[in-house]
């Protein structure tokens, strides 16, 4: 499977919570299973106990994005390394579902399902996918949405490292807010300039005698 597919595991989990809005969609085993996708064997192993475990891993993954977003790349790597040590992956060579023109398998690396529990399996894949992305593109490609109060995680895949928002919707909202703020500032400056001009005119007008 593609590298982006694995790194997206981390993004999907982190974004089940919106702290600034006090929202959390990770409240049931069904929500845990949805993170895997319907076809995953790991999803079928999920139990109610995984809800709490998933939330713990989610907090640690968000800390990685937060450190990277704040420019503390060493801290981001240290936090991610701790996840990699705790949740090791089982890489395998796979060719399923990918055939060339002659019907031969197109071999690729696949991160196998973890044998212990659903949380360990998901955390292992999310951490390894994020590690691949970080080492390939840089820690500055891990970000948190700048459209307050969103703060969703995202992976910057732009060619000029310019991404600042998790979605087009947030980018549009932020641009509209910035435009309105500029207009308010211009109006306030115009009002102040007008008042200053009026006061200046009054001070130079001769008084009646």
């Amino acid at each position: 499977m593609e590298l982006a597919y694995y790194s997206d595991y981390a993004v999907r989990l982190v974004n089940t919570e919106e702290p600034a809005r006090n929202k959390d969609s990770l409240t049931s085993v069904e929500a845990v299973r949805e993170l895997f996708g319907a076809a995953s064997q790991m999803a079928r192993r999920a139990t109610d106990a995984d809800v709490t475990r998933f939330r713990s891993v989610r907090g640690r993954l968000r800390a990685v994005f937060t450190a990277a977003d704040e420019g503390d790349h060493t801290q981001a790597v240290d936090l991610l390394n701790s996840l990699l040590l705790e949740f090791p992956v089982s890489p395998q060579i796979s060719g399923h579902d990918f055939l060339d023109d002659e019907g031969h398998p197109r071999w690729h690396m696949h991160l196998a399902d973890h044998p212990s529990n659903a949380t360990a399996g998901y955390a292992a894949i999310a951490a390894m996918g994020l590690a691949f992305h970080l080492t390939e593109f840089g820690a500055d490609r891990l970000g948190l949405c700048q459209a307050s109060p969103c703060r969703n995680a995202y992976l910057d895949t732009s060619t000029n490292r310019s991404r600042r928002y998790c979605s087009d919707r947030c980018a549009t909202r932020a641009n509209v807010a910035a435009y309105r703020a500029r207009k308010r500032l211009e109006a306030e400056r115009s009002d102040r300039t007008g008042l200053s001009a009026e006061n200046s005119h009054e001070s130079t007008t001769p008084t009646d005698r």
Side-chain angles (χ1 to χ4, degrees), residues 120-190:
Y122 194 99
I125 291 176
M128 181 56 72
L130 203 56
F132 280 146
H133 191 93
L134 187 151
T135 53
E136 180 72 16
F137 302 108
D140 59 339
R141 293 299 189 114
L142 278 58
L144 294 174
C145 186
Q146 299 302 302
S148 180
C150 178
R151 304 300 284 168
N152 272 351
Y154 66 83
L155 299 172
D156 185 2
T157 56
S158 63
T159 56
N160 58 355
R161 300 174 182 265
S162 61
R163 185 171 179 178
R164 295 295 179 269
Y165 307 103
C166 68
S167 65
D168 290 340
R169 180 180 179 182
C170 277
T172 299
R173 188 171 72 247
N175 289 334
V176 169
Y179 173 80
R180 290 175 176 172
R182 286 196 302 271
K183 288 299 182 182
R184 285 195 299 270
L185 182 60
E186 289 173 2
E188 291 172 359
R189 287 175 176 171
S190 178

Side-chain angles (χ1 to χ4, degrees), residues 31-127:
V32 169
R33 289 170 179 159
E34 288 178 3
L35 288 169
F36 290 100
S40 173
Q41 292 184 355
M42 282 189 293
R44 291 190 287 272
R45 293 203 299 267
T47 67
D48 289 334
D50 284 299
V51 177
T52 301
R53 290 196 290 254
F54 260 69
R55 286 178 172 178
S56 175
V57 172
R58 179 181 64 188
R60 294 169 67 182
L61 285 170
R62 176 172 282 278
V64 174
F65 278 92
T66 299
D69 187 68
E70 294 175 349
D72 193 345
H73 297 170
T74 299
Q75 175 71 355
V77 169
D78 288 343
L79 292 170
L80 189 50
N81 273 336
S82 69
L83 284 164
L84 292 169
L85 288 171
E86 185 173 345
F87 302 106
V89 297
S90 301
Q92 292 180 350
I93 299 174
S94 176
H96 62 81
D97 298 330
F98 294 93
L99 302 178
D100 60 22
D101 294 337
E102 298 178 354
H104 300 141
R106 293 181 177 176
W107 303 113
H108 60 277
M109 291 302 298
H110 173 77
L111 301 183
D113 290 359
H114 199 281
S116 57
N117 60 66
T119 301
Y122 194 99
I125 291 176

